[in-house]
Amino acid sequence: FGLVLAVARLTPGKAGAPIRFLAIAYIDLFRAVPAIIVLYLIGFGLPLTGLPFISKVSSQWFAIIALTLTYSAYIAETYRSGIDSIHPSQWSAARSLGFSFSQTLRWFILPQAIRISLPPTVGYMVQIIKGTSLAAIIGFTEITRAGQIINNATFQPLHVFTTVAALYFVICWPLSLLAARMERKRARALAR
């Protein structure tokens, strides 16, 4: 979704102005509002609407929706900066060969931009994983909430939350190493 927002933000011409405006407004809004507030609004606000299909949605889906809304704005900016880092001559060369804006974007610009944006995107994935701990506030039982439940039954906070921290470490550390490795690989490629 972040990639779609980044491309929408770059839509050219007068016809693309409303799409650009909506993408920029979305990105600015969700980057400015804390994830916990979005979780409250989605997790507690949507059920208050009284819509029949909302009552059947689980707290897991509310957490997924809220975190997607929040982090897609950050990832959109990562992709946008990756697209902006592509030299303008790449655009000009593809357009001079007769490719349309969308063909240029699809076949020439996005493959390069995604490669550039991948390390910070993986970094955001780590943030999303850690952000799931906030979902406990809307009743979603994830690792932190499970730790709270176990702690309430055993009264062993040191053991329980050390285990919770270790689980997050086991999940997030390999992703952090992957992001660092991709950054080093890219730096070596640029140095050649």
Side-chain angles (χ1 to χ4, degrees), residues 7 49 150:
V7 170
T49 62
I150 293 168

Side-chain angles (χ1 to χ4, degrees), residues 11 21 69 126:
T11 307
F21 173 78
L69 290 172
V126 171

